[in-house]
């Protein structure tokens, strides 16, 4: 049987006094024998759970038409009745009455609903009879199962006269004696839902009471059953911008949707805690929650307990409370407070003194008075939330407008209740959004930068390092929080790279350059101008500094050096009080639509219910038809809702078709489990029908494939939940263990560097590193880092260095040829920090050094070791008497010098970063070895200096003049990854690397702005389709569509049956955009871009179709062994085959020149370019031999040139050949990569970008002449 979608109602339960006891008490009351009305024990009287109607049929495939998760049921009341059968009443009689064996004794309830504690929770203060009618009272419940899944309840208590509860003469009232006081008994109606629709369900119960008050007792059960059946017909809105609204006279009830898949439903007034607590107290309560204390909330109002607790839970999103959570404890449940674990529970204020006196180590929160106590002291002695985060929160919170009355000042008296409610709801939604934004900012400010201390490959969090970066006053807070379950769960999400509200705000509120820091720095040091603010441009030479023009065009690479990228300051403006509280934090708000359900039918008749669903399907169909295709997100929500309705009304194939539509509109809300369940439940006849509908056949195949992949993942034991804290090793490590340990420690990730470090630490003894040696090395590395952070330079020195510069190493105080002081090493220069009154003396920028050598200076009768530097443009050498430090500084400065030269020659800033890391590792190695071999060991890390000595790496002049910059997308990885595809769209560079990973770089600074994953397979092609769509063809046969504006990939085209290899764009005769795609087995599809529908589809007979091009009304399709010109209906117009000499090779790329009627082609294992005449396909008319080339992989036309990417014969290094299209000659050869050039793209015909294979993994940016 298919799993049914969850609806609004799980169950509706009526709780009240047992009728037998009520009868007895009523008789005593009439006889005036009761001195006071007793408290009664409540029991479940009725349970109503879907489905309420079902088709009379023998088919096991039939499902009851209602939105319900659970179909298996069990008996509840029968057991309770048996338990109570022998119960003795106070007057000595037993309660074995006829009712105990009546037909109503066995109430069937959903199997996962536990009703044992429900009566107590519906009457948490006890069931109290009354002499007069009392006001209706609402409160809210949260139930948590063993697996931590929560269910929510809304309860209304209302009183009815006991006479109206009894049958017979009393109910008719003719024996009623008006002189006697009447007796009233409370009933509780509890609506249980999987989702916390507190306001909506309270509205529903309010409407129910309007019907119940005039109803006779005989109609009581039927009225509630009908009410429950109506709620069971309500589908829940999908995540996103569509709410659901229905009419329960006299009110219109709105179900708000969740913001996205991972967000909670918010249907409460989030400002309640701000009304209850001062901002300081509120922060104290949040601090206690983050530290997982044992909290008890107290209030005289049961409703307030849950609403305040739920609001606080939402304030911590996306962190989620992992501990026991019972916001309402009935008076018989106070023993729960003895639990030894952390918890959050709520009690009536009358129990405050008792709980405080008898239970230790509790945090007691008086919600009514807004006070927080501890049970062991007057004050709370717990670490407070970090000061900076708290101050920012309070300043924003002060600006919140919490009073709705102020909104109404300029308005007249409303006469339409539903319009007034709508007005209030809109105000509340705006306020809720502001509160969510400022509480999310609080969480972001507390845990900002956590991801910088994660090792994703080994799933390790370096907590010690994280703590070192926090303010000393905040350390105790973090030490406590880092041990909690709530933080562990949060870390797990970070390691799984979850894109939630935290990660989005953390990225959007980071300083622009800091946002890109992980792409540029390896060692962690704060720059001298406050904190780390470097971008790629920090390490590039002034000649290569990049422009800050965003989006419109490409960088001007001649930008002056001091022109840094301007970023929005994270600080609040002074005039914030005049602005909205969440200024600078808002995400783009989508326009919300409301879908109004049809009027409810008689809900207990099957055919009426089916007609109701048909009406809903028709209504959703109309909504789909009038929604324009560009509003794909809204279309997705309508399809999702219609899929739900079709599922519960047994229209399985229609439901699958609706869910299939989600791939093209918003795949993020695709309900995988429900679709899997639907597919598994298809009877044979429907399965055959599905196979005849191509889109359903595709969907079913995909579901099966996903299931197999999921099973394989589980069988491989891939664990997404584990989080380890970094620990120093306890045993000797061989190379493999050493690599893992260093990567986990966060010192360095690059495997080549770690291998050299291993060699350095094992010089002169067995090839293994002991735990003590590693501990000393690690400690020295961290101490050097800490010392550098403590360097405080005066303003007179800071003005001489750039804001992004950091002091990485400081010598001891030494005598130099320019005065006495300490030599400071930054990533750009050496300078002397003079003693006494600190001053700045420039020693050298690394690029200006001409010679570095160890010398000796005379001192009395001794010769003191010194370091001598010759600097370009200065006559006198700089000499420093570094004594025992001389050899180390000699190694470090030479490495920095060599790294700077390499970086300048190759226009690649990473060489400088790598040299800096090598120099700092040398320092730590010398400090940890403390032996005569220490300097020799450290020299093992002099990587660039050795390259410079052994192989002078002069870049050819042509290459140096054309090359402008390099980017390394693999910077944060242990080893480089191949660049598979490159695409330029205005202002952005899109880079595809292995496994569906897509990186987006800002084309003005070449800094990384976004990373996303599209599927898990390699991408073969990318295409910018319009201003907001980038299409990506994958090996998994799917075309993924990324929105450039939102940077989300939530649409997919799944029509291809094999890997998608090529994409092209054209316009049809009506000037509508048409996209073409091809897949490896020969299929070509034409897509209408606006609707994402396939217009035409044909299949070519060929060996692996590799690319498609549109030109002058025909398509050119390139396969391994041929190039075909094809009419748009699929018939082949002409075919061009490999020449005799090329037999056994394969085409890799072709270019069309329609104006010259030429076609250029290159092959994977051929070093020549073939130029064909389109009308004569028998043989090429020209061949251009590429010198020292064994194969070509890509080709691109720019201006009057063709750039060809290939691999060299002699060195197997990547080469780019630039050919003249007129003279068919090679103009230039460029050598910029250490592996084959696998991808090329043009940026506005001003720059060409080339991407290399996995041994290089870099992107080079070339200037087009």
């Amino acid at each position: 049987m298919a799993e049914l979608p969850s609806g609004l109602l799980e169950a509706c339960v009526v709780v009240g006094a047992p009728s037998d006891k009520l009868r007895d008490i009523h008789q005593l009351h009439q006889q005036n024998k009761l001195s006071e009305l007793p408290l009664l024990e409540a029991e479940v009287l009725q349970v109503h759970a879907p489905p309420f109607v079902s088709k009379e049929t023998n088919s096991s495939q039939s499902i009851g038409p209602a939105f319900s998760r659970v179909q298996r049921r069990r008996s509840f009341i029968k057991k309770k009745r048996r338990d109570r059968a022998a119960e003795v009443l106070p007057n000595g009689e037993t309660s074995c009455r006829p009712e105990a064996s009546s037909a109503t004794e066995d109430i069937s309830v959903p199997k996962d609903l536990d009703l044992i504690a429900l009566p107590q929770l519906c009457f948490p203060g006890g069931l109290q009879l009354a002499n007069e009618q009392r006001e209706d009272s609402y409160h809210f419940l949260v139930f948590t199962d063993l697996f931590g899944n929560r269910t929510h309840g809304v309860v209304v208590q209302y009183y009815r006269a006991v006479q109206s509860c009894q049958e017979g003469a009393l109910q008719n009232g003719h024996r009623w004696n008006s002189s006697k006081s009447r007796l009233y008994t409370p009933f509780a109606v509890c609506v249980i839902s999987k989702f916390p629709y507190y306001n909506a369900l309270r509205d529903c119960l309010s409407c129910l009471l309007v019907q119940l008050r005039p109803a006779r007792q005989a109609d009581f059960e039927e009225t509630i059953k009908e009410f429950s059946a109506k709620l069971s017909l309500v589908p829940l809105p999908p995540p996103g911008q569509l709410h659901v609204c229905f009419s329960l006279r006299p009110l219109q009830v709105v179900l708000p949707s969740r913001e996205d898949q991972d967000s909670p439903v918010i249907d409460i007034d989030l400002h309640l805690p701000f009304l209850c607590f001062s901002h300081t107290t509120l922060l104290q309560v949040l601090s206690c929650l983050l530290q997982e204390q044992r909290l008890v909330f107290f209030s005289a109002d049961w409703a307030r307990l849950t609403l305040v607790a739920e609001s606080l839970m939402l304030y911590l999103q996306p962190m989620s409370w992992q501990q026991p959570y019972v916001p309402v404890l009935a008076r018989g449940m106070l023993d729960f407070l003895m639990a030894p674990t952390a918890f959050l529970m709520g009690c009536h204020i009358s129990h405050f003194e008792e709980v405080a006196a008898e239970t230790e180590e509790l945090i007691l929160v008086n919600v009514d008075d807004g006070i927080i106590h501890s049970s062991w002291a007057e004050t709370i002695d717990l670490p407070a939330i970090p000061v900076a985060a708290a101050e920012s929160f309070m300043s924003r919170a002060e600006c919140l407008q919490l009073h709705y009355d102020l909104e109404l000042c300029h308005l007249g008296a409303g006469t339409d209740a539903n319009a007034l409610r709508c007005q209030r709801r809109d105000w509340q939604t705006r306020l809720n959004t502001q509160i969510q934004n400022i509480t999310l900012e609080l969480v972001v400010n507390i845990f900002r930068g956590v991801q910088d201390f994660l090792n994703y490959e080994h799933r390790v969090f370096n907590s010690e390092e994280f703590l070192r970066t926090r303010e000393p006053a905040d350390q105790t807070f973090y030490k406590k929080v880092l041990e909690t379950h709530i933080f562990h769960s949060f870390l797990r999400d970070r390691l799984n790279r979850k894109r939630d509200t935290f990660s989005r705000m953390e990225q959007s509120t980071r300083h622009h350059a800091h946002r890109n820091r992980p792409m540029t720095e390896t060692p962690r040091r704060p720059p001298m101008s406050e904190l780390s603010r470097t971008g790629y441009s920090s390490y590039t030479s002034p000649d290569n500094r990049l422009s800050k023009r965003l989006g419109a065009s490409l960088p001007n690479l001649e930008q002056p050096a001091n022109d840094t990228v301007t970023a929005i300051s994270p600080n609040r403006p002074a005039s914030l009080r005049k602005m909205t509280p969440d200024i600078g934090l808002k995400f783009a708000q989508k326009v919300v639509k409301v879908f109004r359900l049809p009027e409810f039918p008689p809900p207990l008749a099957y055919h009426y219910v089916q007609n109701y669903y048909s009406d809903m399907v028709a209504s959703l169909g109309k909504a789909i038809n009038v929604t324009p295709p560009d509003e794909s997100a809204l279309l997705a929500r309508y399809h999702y809702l219609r899929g739900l309705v079709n599922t519960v009304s047994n229209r399985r194939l229609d439901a699958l078709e609706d869910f299939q539509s989600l791939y093209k509109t918003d795949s993020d809300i695709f309900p995988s489990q429900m679709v899997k369940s639907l597919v598994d439940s298809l009877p044979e006849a429907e399965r055959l029908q599905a196979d005849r509908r191509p889109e359903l056949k595709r969907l079913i195949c995909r579901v099966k494939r996903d299931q197999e992949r999921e099973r394989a993942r589980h069988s491989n034991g891939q664990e997404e939940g584990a989080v380890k804290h970094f620990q120093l090793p306890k045993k000797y490590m061989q190379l493999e263990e050493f690599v893992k340990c260093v990567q986990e420690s966060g010192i360095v990730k690059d495997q080549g560097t770690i291998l050299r470090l291993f060699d350095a630490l094992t010089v002169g003894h067995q090839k293994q590193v002991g735990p003590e040696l590693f501990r000393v090395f690690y400690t020295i590395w961290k101490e050097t880092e800490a010392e550098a952070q403590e360097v405080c330079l005066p303003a007179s020195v800071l003005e001489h260095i750039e804001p992004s510069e950091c002091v990485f190493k400081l010598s001891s105080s030494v005598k130099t040829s320019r005065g006495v002081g300490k030599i400071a090493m930054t990533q750009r220069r050496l300078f002397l920090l003079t003693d006494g009154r600190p001053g700045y003396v420039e020693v050298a920028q690394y690029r200006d050094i001409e010679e570095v050598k160890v010398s000796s200076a005379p001192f009395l009768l001794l010769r003191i070791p010194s370091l001598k530097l010759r600097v370009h443009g200065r006559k006198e050498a700089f000499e420093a008497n570094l004594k025992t430090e001389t050899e180390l500084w000699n190694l470090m400065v030479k490495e920095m010098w060599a790294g700077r030269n390499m970086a300048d020659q190759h226009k690649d800033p990473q060489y400088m970063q790598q040299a800096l890391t090598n120099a700092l590792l040398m320092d730590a190695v010398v400090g940890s070895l403390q032996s005569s071999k220490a300097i020799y060991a450290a020299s093992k890390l002099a990587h660039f200096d050795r390259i410079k000595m052994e192989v002078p790496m002069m870049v050819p002049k042509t290459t140096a003049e054309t090359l402008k910059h390099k980017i390394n997308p693999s910077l944060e990885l242990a080893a480089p990854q191949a660049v598979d595809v490159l695409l330029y769209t205005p202002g952005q560079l899109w880079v595809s690397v292995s496994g569906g990973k897509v990186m987006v770089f800002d084309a003005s600074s070449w800094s990384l702005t976004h990373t996303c994953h599209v599927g898990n397979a390699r991408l073969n092609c990318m295409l910018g389709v319009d201003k907001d769509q980038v299409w990506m063809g994958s090996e998994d046969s799917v075309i993924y569509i990324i929105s450039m504006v939102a940077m989300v990939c939530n649409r997919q085209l799944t029509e291809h049956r094999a890997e998608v290899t090529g994409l092209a764009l054209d316009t049809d005769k009506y000037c509508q955009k048409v996209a073409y795609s091809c897949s490896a087995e020969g299929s070509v599809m034409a897509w209408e871009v606006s609707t994402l529908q396939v217009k035409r589809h044909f299949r070519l007979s060929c060996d692996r179709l590799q690319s498609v091009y549109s030109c002058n009304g025909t398509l050119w399709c390139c396969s391994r062994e041929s190039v075909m010109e094809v009419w748009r209906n699929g018939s082949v117009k002409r075919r061009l085959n490999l020449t005799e000499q090329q037999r056994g090779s394969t085409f890799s790329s072709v270019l069309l020149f329609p104006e010259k009627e030429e076609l250029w082609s290159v092959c994977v294992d051929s070093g020549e370019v073939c130029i064909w005449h389109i009308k004569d396909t028998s043989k090429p008319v020209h061949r251009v031999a590429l010198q020292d080339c064994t194969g070509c992989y890509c080709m691109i036309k720019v201006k009057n040139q063709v750039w060809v990417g290939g691999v060299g014969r002699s060195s197997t290094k990547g080469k780019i050949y630039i050919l003249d299209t007129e003279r068919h000659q090679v103009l230039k050869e460029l050598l910029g990569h250490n592996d084959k050039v696998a991808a090329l793209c043009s940026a506005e015909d001003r720059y060409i970008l080339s991407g290399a294979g996995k041994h290089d993994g870099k992107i080079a940016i070339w200037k087009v002449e």
Side-chain angles (χ1 to χ4, degrees), residues 287 290-293 382-386 446-447 461 463-488 725:
S287 177
L290 287 171
Q291 293 172 62
E292 289 189 350
Q293 296 297 312
L382 283 171
I385 275 177
I446 293 171
F447 297 106
F461 174 58
S463 51
E464 283 186 24
E465 276 303 286
F466 174 74
L467 280 172
R468 283 162 62 100
T469 62
R470 305 296 108 174
E471 291 291 329
D474 302 330
Q475 296 267 341
T476 50
F477 170 83
Y478 284 107
K479 281 176 183 169
K480 279 186 175 289
V481 171
L482 263 53
E483 298 301 317
T484 60
H485 290 84
I486 193 172
F487 181 73
H488 184 87
H725 286 269

Side-chain angles (χ1 to χ4, degrees), residues 602-837:
L604 298 175
Y606 181 82
H607 66 280
Y608 282 124
V609 170
Q610 285 297 348
N611 290 342
Y612 171 75
Y613 285 139
S614 298
D615 291 347
M616 211 190 299
V617 167
S619 183
L620 285 162
K622 285 178 189 168
I624 289 168
N625 290 335
V626 299
T627 304
D630 57 343
E631 291 190 35
S632 58
L634 184 58
L635 277 172
R637 272 75 199 163
Y638 286 137
H639 277 296
Y640 183 102
L641 263 184
R642 195 169 69 177
L644 294 188
V645 179
N646 280 326
T647 301
V648 296
S649 54
N650 258 339
R651 303 182 185 110
R652 296 179 188 81
L653 297 185
D654 292 345
L656 288 174
E657 204 164 277
D658 276 313
F659 293 137
Q660 163 73 14
S661 301
L662 296 180
Y663 282 124
K664 287 185 184 173
T665 48
D666 190 348
S667 57
D668 281 354
I669 61 171
F670 185 80
S672 308
Q673 279 304 110
M674 198 188 307
V675 171
K676 174 185 169 296
S677 175
L678 266 175
V679 168
D680 290 344
S681 71
L682 285 177
E684 192 59 36
E686 288 187 6
R687 175 58 68 89
L688 291 172
Q689 283 180 50
D691 286 344
R692 289 195 290 272
R693 288 158 73 170
E695 68 283 358
L696 292 188
K697 189 175 180 181
R698 277 198 309 275
L699 177 64
I700 289 167
C701 289
R702 181 161 184 168
V703 167
K704 298 292 183 193
R705 197 167 64 238
D706 289 348
Q707 282 178 259
E708 285 166 16
R709 195 177 293 144
E710 191 68 21
R711 277 197 294 271
R713 201 164 66 83
H714 283 305
S715 61
N716 291 342
Q718 288 181 15
E719 180 57 57
E720 283 200 341
V723 181
K724 293 185 288 183
H725 286 269
F726 173 69
Q727 291 182 326
L728 289 168
K730 294 184 172 58
K731 56 184 179 47
Y732 278 82
M733 294 178 289
Q734 305 289 346
L735 176 58
E736 191 178 331
E737 294 150 327
F738 180 77
V739 169
K740 184 182 175 194
C741 184
V742 173
Q743 287 175 340
E744 286 183 3
S745 72
I747 293 172
V748 66
K749 291 181 183 174
D750 174 59
Q751 284 189 339
T753 307
I754 299 174
L755 295 179
R756 291 190 286 276
L757 177 60
F758 184 76
D759 284 345
L761 290 175
T762 55
V763 159
H765 56 84
Q766 216 175 348
K767 289 291 176 187
Q768 55 181 12
V769 175
E772 181 58 22
L773 174 59
F774 188 86
R775 186 190 65 76
V776 172
F777 167 78
Y778 180 77
T779 306
I780 290 173
W781 172 270
K782 294 304 172 191
E783 282 175 355
T784 312
E785 195 173 80
E787 284 165 14
Q789 291 183 19
E790 285 162 14
V791 174
C792 188
L793 300 182
S796 58
V797 174
L798 285 175
E799 66 189 27
H800 291 281
I801 65 174
E802 294 202 8
S804 61
E805 280 187 79
C806 319
V807 169
F808 287 88
K809 174 72 177 165
L810 207 59
S811 74
S812 50
S813 190
V814 295
K815 178 178 178 292
T816 76
S817 58
R818 309 277 309 269
V820 177
K822 296 178 179 178
I823 298 174
M825 181 180 90
T826 77
Q827 69 266 47
R828 283 183 170 278
R829 75 190 82 221
L830 298 170
F831 68 88
L832 185 67
L833 190 60
T834 56
D835 282 354
R837 185 180 175 194

Side-chain angles (χ1 to χ4, degrees), residues 53 56 253 297 323 347 494 534 735 825 830 932 941 1000 1061:
V53 293
E56 294 301 320
V253 181
F297 285 29
Q323 302 292 349
C347 294
R494 298 317 102 204
T534 58
L735 176 58
M825 181 180 90
L830 298 170
S932 55
L941 288 153
V1000 185
T1061 52

Side-chain angles (χ1 to χ4, degrees), residues 64 460 580 618 720 774 894 998:
V460 170
T580 52
E720 283 200 341
F774 188 86
K894 279 184 174 176
V998 176

Side-chain angles (χ1 to χ4, degrees), residues 852-856 865-868 886-887 890 894:
V852 180
K853 65 177 183 179
V854 174
S855 181
S856 58
S866 66
L867 185 69
K868 192 175 269 189
T886 305
E887 294 281 358
N890 176 50
K894 279 184 174 176

